[in-house]
Amino acid sequence: AGSAQGTPPLRTAPGRLPSARGSPPARSCCTWACSRHPSTMFLYNLTLQKSSAIVCCAYGNFSAPKMHEIVVSHGKVIEMLRPDAAGKVQSVCSMESFGIVRSLASFRLPGANLDYLVLGSDSGRVSVLEYSKERNQFERVHLETFGKSGCRRIVPGQFLAADPKGRAVMVAAVEKQKFVYVFNRDASANLTISSPLEAHKSNTINFSVVAVDVGFENPIFACIEQDYSDADSDPTGEAVAEASKNLTYYELDLGLNHVVRKWSDPIDPASNMLIPVPGDTDGPSGVLVCAENKIAYKKPDHEDVVTLIPRREGMPLDQPLLITTYALLKQKDYFFILLQSEQGDLYRVTLAYQDEEVSEIQMQYFDTVSVAQSLVILKTGFLFVASEFGNHALYQFLSIKGGDDADLIPVNVEIEGETIMIPHFKPRPLKNLLLVDDMDSLSPMIDAKVLDLAGEETPQIYALCGRGPRSTLRTLRHGLAVSEMAVSELPTNPSAVWTVRGSAKEEYDKYIVVSFTNATIVLSI
């Protein structure tokens, strides 16, 4: 901890992305020390195992045009997952970021066939990464500084939204600050990034930020904002109860190269999330505003279209119901949105529209899975559920039609002298989804004991994990897990087994020779 000459003890500092701080890459000895001051030493640390919890996800084609991959953030580790044809989730690469990755987004330049990855972190910078097949890792393309390091309420990084056409990205903070970066190509077809364009608004809290699909018109970003200037100056506290939220559109003028506040409209004070609706030739554009017990379709110069969220049978009517996450499936002439409530129920949402005029929001009960931090629909017919509590799961779609009228239980309720029909449903086993794979997750670990109850001389870790009906008691042992790649039944017990290469120049073994008392079998994988 210190030498006889009075050297101060070592101190451990929070990790940061080495490239973000101008420091060399971490060495293989699990720690790297740098001296910023002659008498002070800071250490970067690496854990033997990465966190199993997933904070956020991004879906795209990062390694090849037709490779459907998911990049997940484990807090300080980013990992790229690729489901194979059999439905097994394979880890392609995993990288330490030496920081806290708070948000992820993928984007693709017009005319390109591969996606880039944008990171919002606690480094005070926005990072643009590109996957390298030769090195099997993400490499930095751009790193732009906009603020101080750390998870601060006015430093952007919490929210990230990328334009569907890959022309710009907005990175926003919980309060006040929002920056827009414009992407383009240079003469050598390399990705370029502009200086940050400010879209700040003082005394404003941001609740959600998305990019609106407007085709190739000027990019538009939508935000849920709440102005607290009156509440901050009111000592009685009455202004807090009267504070309202607004849906605000910010337009990036590509010709003048600046961001303007284009449109703002009051919304329900309980609104918590925005969902972009496909536009251009794929849909009517606009956004869905999720609030307590309902969702509303909003767009400038368009009447609001509202529908109630179906509720579970027996759920108290005074208990609010919120939508917490969503996933979008967009095909050439069809799209639908999969929403999930805070109880884990999935809803299939479609819009009835004609010439960009939406007349109805159709919302049906789909299935029930674990409450997710993020949902991702893959074009290969899979649904990835990054669970908030417990194991993550990969489901295969058996049908995308959703429920039928038999699942709907109409309940008439009289509110303020008006009779309103609130749709209800009864949860059922999976009907439209099939579980094909899951990924172990210990999050959250409620309690743990280190004991040798099995008498193995090496203590085991007994952990209580999960929440509610998905809680588990798990036994953890030291060692490396073994993956079963192939299985072949043998007629009887063999006497010996060898592995043989195809030639002396080959690096790996090609055949497995199995010897019996009266026969020899040669196997290949």
Side-chain angles (χ1 to χ4, degrees), residues 24-218:
R27 298 175 182 172
S28 58
C29 60
C30 293
T31 58
W32 175 80
C34 71
S35 178
R36 297 183 182 178
H37 190 272
S39 62
T40 306
M41 179 176 290
F42 297 91
L43 297 178
Y44 286 135
N45 70 294
L46 296 177
T47 56
L48 295 177
Q49 285 184 268
K50 62 178 178 290
S51 170
S52 55
I54 293 179
V55 179
C56 50
C57 299
Y59 169 62
N61 308 117
F62 301 100
S63 62
K66 294 186 179 180
M67 287 293 183
H68 302 278
E69 293 143 340
I70 306 168
V71 176
V72 299
S73 165
H74 295 288
K76 64 187 185 69
V77 176
I78 58 173
E79 182 180 18
M80 187 165 74
L81 307 174
R82 181 189 300 154
D84 58 18
K88 299 298 181 183
V89 179
Q90 308 293 337
S91 177
V92 180
C93 74
S94 179
M95 294 181 60
E96 287 274 351
S97 65
F98 295 95
I100 301 175
V101 179
R102 305 161 66 189
S103 53
L104 290 172
S106 61
F107 73 94
R108 181 181 303 186
L109 292 176
N113 55 12
L114 292 179
D115 293 308
Y116 291 92
L117 184 68
V118 187
L119 270 65
S121 66
D122 67 335
S123 63
R125 298 181 172 188
V126 60
S127 307
V128 181
L129 308 180
E130 182 181 19
Y131 178 74
S132 172
K133 295 181 64 176
E134 293 75 16
R135 303 182 64 181
N136 190 29
Q137 67 179 27
F138 282 97
E139 295 184 344
R140 188 188 72 192
V141 180
H142 288 288
L143 189 66
E144 299 297 321
T145 305
F146 52 72
K148 295 182 179 180
S149 62
C151 296
R152 306 169 187 263
R153 66 180 189 175
I154 62 170
V155 177
Q158 181 65 31
F159 301 107
L160 197 62
D163 175 62
K165 300 301 182 183
R167 299 169 296 171
V169 65
M170 172 178 277
V171 54
V174 175
E175 182 181 340
K176 183 182 177 181
Q177 292 193 7
K178 291 180 284 289
F179 287 110
V180 175
Y181 290 90
V182 181
F183 297 121
N184 213 326
R185 292 188 180 94
D186 59 12
S188 303
N190 297 319
L191 176 69
T192 62
I193 187 171
S194 70
S195 300
L197 305 176
E198 295 184 0
H200 305 336
K201 190 174 187 303
S202 301
N203 302 321
T204 301
I205 298 176
N206 300 313
F207 290 86
S208 181
V209 178
V210 297
V212 183
D213 191 349
V214 292
F216 285 100
E217 298 179 6
N218 285 334

Side-chain angles (χ1 to χ4, degrees), residues 383-430:
L383 172 67
F384 179 72
V385 179
S387 299
E388 185 176 0
F389 306 107
N391 292 352
H392 315 298
L394 183 70
Y395 295 90
Q396 184 177 15
F397 281 99
L398 301 179
S399 172
I400 60 173
K401 295 181 179 180
D404 48 27
D405 295 337
D407 294 330
L408 180 63
I409 305 174
V411 176
N412 294 321
V413 180
E414 186 172 340
I415 301 177
E416 298 180 355
E418 183 180 358
T419 302
I420 299 176
M421 194 280 286
I422 301 179
H424 284 64
F425 66 92
K426 187 175 182 180
R428 49 168 167 74
L430 293 178

